[in-house]
Amino acid sequence: MNSTITVLADSVFISHKNHYERLPKADILVLTASGAYVDIMTVDNKEYRISTYLANVLEQLNDPNFVRISRKQAVNAAYLDVVEHNTVFLQSRRFSIAKSYRQGFMDSLPILRTGKKS
């Protein structure tokens, strides 16, 4: 049987120093691809490196809060503070949005707009 334990649905396990460490998805701030590795930065400044690709990590996380901002990075939108043209700020950290990802990123945000009702 290949089912996930329900209580762990909001977490993943990361291979770290000869053991598997539980990491709540909500604690992940940024995912950064680096060759055949993905660096995971958490909200409390812990860093993990796993041997895989960014697309694979995003698929396994299966969480709409993780949004790509470039070919090499995805951010946890739950921590977005400011979006300024081609830059996002998460917990006072600055990340650039690649031009080709900007429209998709902006479309994923719930933005209140001014103007007439349709």
Side-chain angles (χ1 to χ4, degrees), residues 69-84:
I69 59 170
S70 71
R71 186 174 59 82
K72 292 188 172 199
Q73 280 192 315
V75 297
N76 187 340
Y79 294 102
L80 279 174
D81 294 320
V82 175
V83 178
E84 185 180 290

Side-chain angles (χ1 to χ4, degrees), residues 79-91:
Y79 294 102
L80 279 174
D81 294 320
V82 175
V83 178
E84 185 180 290
H85 192 58
N86 290 329
T87 305
V88 295
F89 294 87
L90 291 87
Q91 293 190 329

Side-chain angles (χ1 to χ4, degrees), residues 6 8 13 15 36-37 45 47 49-52 55 61 63 75 77 84 88 90 93 96 101 104 114:
T6 306
L8 298 178
F13 283 85
S15 178
Y37 294 93
N45 293 319
E47 293 188 21
R49 176 171 269 200
I50 58 174
S51 177
T52 190
L61 287 174
D63 187 323
V75 297
E84 185 180 290
V88 295
L90 291 87
R93 293 178 183 91
S96 296
Y101 285 84
T114 59

Side-chain angles (χ1 to χ4, degrees), residues 12-32:
V12 292
F13 283 85
I14 304 277
S15 178
H16 184 69
K17 297 181 181 176
N18 299 321
H19 66 275
Y20 290 97
E21 189 169 316
R22 182 178 177 177
L23 179 61
K25 292 177 187 179
D27 288 356
I28 299 171
L29 184 67
V30 179
L31 302 165
T32 304

